[in-house]
Structure formats: C-alpha cells, structure tokens
Amino acid sequence: MTLSKDQVDLVMVSYNSRLVLPAFFQSLRKFTKSSFRLWVIDNNSADGSQAYLQTLSQDQFFRQKMILVLNKTNTGVAKAWNQAVLLTSGRLIVFLNPDLLFTKSWLSRLTASAVRHKKAMVVGVKILNPDGTIYHAGAISQIRGKGKSNRSGLYDEEKVVHWIQGSCFLVKREIFQQIGGFDEQFFVYGEEIDFCHRVRKAGFEVLYSPV
C-alpha cells in the first residue's frame, strides 16, 4: 500500500459491533468516491467482529484501502483515536462510529468544508436518527435541531459552533501538535466535546457542515 499525506484517513473504532458492521461497510462502499484509507481499530470484541473484519479486509474493494488493528484489550474510544493519530499520516483524519450510514458524496463535501475554512480545525456533520429526525446539528450552548424532523433547508448551512457530535467528524492533523490528543480520561462519550473546547481555547474554530 502506498501512503500519501494528501489522502484522507478514515478511522473507525469497533467494539462488539458485529450486527451493524455490514451496513456500515456497504454504505461506505456505495457512497464514498473520494480517495481514502480506512483504519479499523477493534477494541478486543468478543462477538465475532474480529473474524468478520479479517474477512472483509480481503474483500476486493477494501483490500487496498483498509488497515485492521486488533487491540488485545478494550482501550476505550479516546485512547483508540489517539492510537490512530499515531498510525495515520494524512493531513485530514475523519473519525467514524461503526453504526453510521453514509450519504452521497459525504466525504468530498466534508473535506471541501475543511479546506474552505482555514481556521476550522474540527468539522462535524448533521447526524440523523433512524426515523429521520435530527440527532445533532452542531451545538452552541445546546444541541441544535435535536428531535426535529429533517427537511431540506433545515440546518443546511455551514456554521461555526461550540462543539460537534463524535459519530462523524474531521480533524486537521496540525491541531494535535498544538493541543495534544484526545483526553484518555474519557473512556467513551464526551471526548469530542472536551477536544472541541480545547480547539476553541487555542484560538481556532469548530465548524458544522451539513453533509
């Protein structure tokens, strides 16, 4: 595999996620046309996830794109994300949850937002619930749009916010050199909010993009 700093690194941390993994990978394959590397870090799953991921890594589509890392313990999300930062080399890193379903051209639109906004070091997206209601559209003091039925024009503009949701967000590598990695005291939940706070404290922006 040839590594390029211009390629986008996708990072997905899995823990006992076997039931949702097929839909994640099918959706990723269907809707991701931009060039990427996918780093999958499994946190010692015991539900068959590791066997599934090992088989998938030999799939014709993912074989040249996917690097699988099998941890021997469940390190938690923040520590696994930091592990991925050290393993990757791209200027843009996108952190993903294993229960995501993607939308058309999601990655090209996300990276375009990041490129347009030089001061934004974190870019998050609109996250929907399975029933089509909004789960998260960025937060300014409180989460925007939570529980509202999604429709065209609703939270469909880029916006500088206080924090974004950690299911799908982009980070520019350069910020890690300035503020450090994710706080590993957060085993799961809250680590992205803390990270966004430190980004803003350092004088940079957190951006919501309606991908």
Side-chain angles (χ1 to χ4, degrees):
M1 177 178 292
T2 302
L3 301 182
S4 167
K5 290 186 178 180
D6 294 325
Q7 205 164 28
V8 179
D9 285 308
L10 309 183
V11 174
M12 188 269 277
V13 177
S14 171
Y15 176 68
N16 288 343
S17 306
R18 177 64 181 85
L19 291 178
V20 298
L21 291 176
F24 172 93
F25 284 104
Q26 289 165 13
S27 175
L28 184 67
R29 184 198 308 253
K30 181 177 181 181
F31 292 116
T32 313
K33 305 305 180 184
S34 303
S35 179
F36 68 90
R37 284 187 305 264
L38 172 64
W39 298 77
V40 177
I41 299 179
D42 185 84
N43 264 339
N44 198 34
S45 294
D47 66 343
S49 291
Q50 293 193 356
Y52 175 81
L53 291 168
Q54 286 173 318
T55 299
L56 190 74
S57 67
Q58 300 305 311
D59 174 85
Q60 184 176 0
F61 178 81
F62 288 107
R63 187 169 58 240
Q64 298 299 318
K65 301 176 182 291
M66 177 176 164
I67 303 96
L68 176 61
V69 179
L70 301 178
N71 286 340
K72 294 183 178 179
T73 60
N74 182 6
T75 66
V77 174
K79 190 169 184 176
W81 281 352
N82 286 337
Q83 179 184 2
V85 173
L86 295 176
L87 291 170
T88 56
S89 62
R91 294 187 180 93
L92 303 178
I93 310 172
V94 182
F95 298 91
L96 305 169
N97 276 12
D99 57 349
L100 283 176
L101 295 177
F102 300 92
T103 55
K104 185 177 180 181
S105 303
W106 72 279
L107 184 56
S108 60
R109 289 185 285 136
L110 176 58
T111 55
S113 288
V115 170
R116 273 197 304 273
H117 295 265
K118 305 299 184 186
K119 199 174 179 181
M121 292 294 143
V122 176
V123 185
V125 304
K126 182 189 288 186
I127 305 292
L128 302 182
N129 293 306
D131 64 0
T133 58
I134 296 173
Y135 179 65
H136 208 291
I140 302 175
S141 299
Q142 60 184 6
I143 298 170
R144 303 191 313 152
K146 191 172 182 66
K148 294 183 179 180
S149 295
N150 189 43
R151 56 176 171 76
S152 179
L154 187 61
Y155 301 106
D156 279 351
E157 295 182 357
E158 294 175 335
K159 178 78 172 177
V160 174
V161 295
H162 290 175
W163 76 89
I164 46 76
Q165 211 277 329
S167 297
C168 176
F169 68 106
L170 178 151
V171 180
K172 295 176 181 175
R173 177 175 299 278
E174 61 194 272
I175 193 62
F176 291 109
Q177 299 169 352
Q178 301 191 47
I179 70 169
F182 298 98
D183 187 341
E184 295 179 7
Q185 294 183 81
F186 294 91
F187 188 81
V188 63
Y189 302 126
E191 58 280 332
E192 76 276 35
I193 299 174
D194 170 78
F195 190 77
C196 289
H197 172 73
R198 287 189 284 130
V199 166
R200 296 174 60 237
K201 190 175 180 181
F204 298 97
E205 293 177 347
V206 175
L207 181 73
Y208 163 78
S209 178
V211 174

